[in-house]
Amino acid sequence: MDVSITSRSREFDIATSALAGNGWCVVSNFLSQTQTQALSTECMAMHDAQLLTLARVGADHAATLLRGDSTRWFLPEALSTPQQAFANRIEALRIALNRDLFLGLVDSESHYAVYRPGTGYARHLDCLRNNDTRLISAVFYLNEAWQDAEGGALRLYFADQSYRDVYPRAGTLLLFLSAQFEHEVLPATRDRMSIACWMKQRVYADTRR
Ligand code: OGA
Ligand code: MN
């Protein structure tokens, strides 16, 4: 028996069972420190070069109150080396989720996000029930030496209105079911970088229209 292959294919066991049981989980050290730093460096360089675009919810210019991040999508056909490392790891996770939970995830999409100090993202759901192919939300954090006192938590709300704060520390990946958990990004006192990723189900033609 090839032990190395067996153990490698089981590396996401804890994550998949926590996701199946609770609908959310945190994976620490999702990438190596070197890989995470390369993403962080690239994200900040792209931000400094003004390659990120202020996110808008609809055409409403008051939307900054709702959402203050700037984003840039990863282009699947033109991934940088750091982005490729992230994409490979997400792909391994997608395959593990399909194998263990029969989720039928066919694809994923990812973007960098930078929140300047004082900005956040008001409480929201990543997809409208039955109206979106987003099934799993995954947020990967890129911020070295983040202190809780700097704010910037992702606040994940549960059905009973209690919540859990997840701080955006480098190497942390938060996973949750997109249709089930409202969440918000609290403002921070320093720049806050993340990669937001969604794993998607197949698109079926909507015959209800
Ligand atoms: C989002 C989101 C959370 C984060 O982009 O929908 O909720 O921590 N991002 O960046
Ligand atoms: Mn969200």
Side-chain angles (χ1 to χ4, degrees):
M1 187 174 88
D2 188 329
V3 175
S4 65
I5 286 174
T6 305
S7 60
R8 195 181 313 140
S9 66
R10 306 246 60 105
E11 67 186 333
F12 292 120
D13 274 6
I14 294 172
T16 57
S17 58
L19 203 58
N22 308 322
W24 71 284
C25 73
V26 171
V27 179
S28 22
N29 305 313
F30 179 67
L31 288 179
S32 74
Q33 200 180 351
T34 310
Q35 289 168 321
T36 305
Q37 273 170 1
L39 286 162
S40 151
T41 302
E42 179 179 80
C43 179
M44 205 24 88
M46 285 180 161
H47 182 263
D48 290 346
Q50 303 193 332
L51 295 172
L52 277 65
T53 312
L54 201 56
R56 289 283 182 221
V57 182
D60 184 359
H61 280 264
T64 339
L65 295 171
L66 204 63
R67 177 172 188 187
D69 57 333
S70 296
T71 63
R72 183 180 174 88
W73 289 101
F74 288 13
L75 303 175
E77 65 286 356
L79 295 174
S80 66
T81 304
Q83 291 171 357
Q84 188 64 61
F86 176 77
N88 290 348
R89 196 88 173 119
I90 284 289
E91 188 61 7
L93 176 60
R94 185 184 70 82
I95 288 163
L97 291 171
N98 281 345
R99 183 196 59 208
D100 296 349
L101 307 179
F102 310 104
L103 290 182
L105 300 163
V106 292
D107 201 4
S108 68
E109 57 186 12
S110 304
H111 67 53
Y112 279 132
V114 176
Y115 293 79
R116 303 309 309 273
T119 68
Y121 193 158
R123 183 168 168 168
H124 68 279
L125 205 57
D126 280 349
C127 78
L128 301 172
R129 257 167 257 260
N130 304 322
N131 191 29
D132 203 306
T133 57
R134 290 175 173 182
L135 191 74
I136 306 277
S137 299
V139 196
F140 184 59
Y141 294 110
L142 305 177
N143 311 288
E144 283 300 322
W146 192 273
Q147 304 297 316
D148 292 2
E150 291 169 317
L154 180 298
R155 181 163 288 179
L156 191 69
Y157 289 94
F158 304 115
D160 65 1
Q161 300 308 308
S162 66
Y163 57 79
R164 174 70 74 87
D165 284 345
V166 178
Y167 286 93
R169 276 182 248 293
T172 298
L173 181 80
L174 169 67
L175 293 169
F176 58 91
L177 297 175
S178 305
Q180 206 161 306
F181 293 90
E182 291 189 347
H183 53 284
E184 72 180 302
V185 177
L186 300 177
T189 55
R190 63 181 255 204
D191 285 337
R192 177 193 188 278
M193 290 177 281
S194 58
I195 300 172
C197 169
W198 292 276
M199 296 191 202
K200 306 176 76 163
Q201 288 181 312
R202 197 181 308 284
V203 186
Y204 292 102
D206 189 344
T207 52
R208 292 166 301 176
R209 264 182 268 217

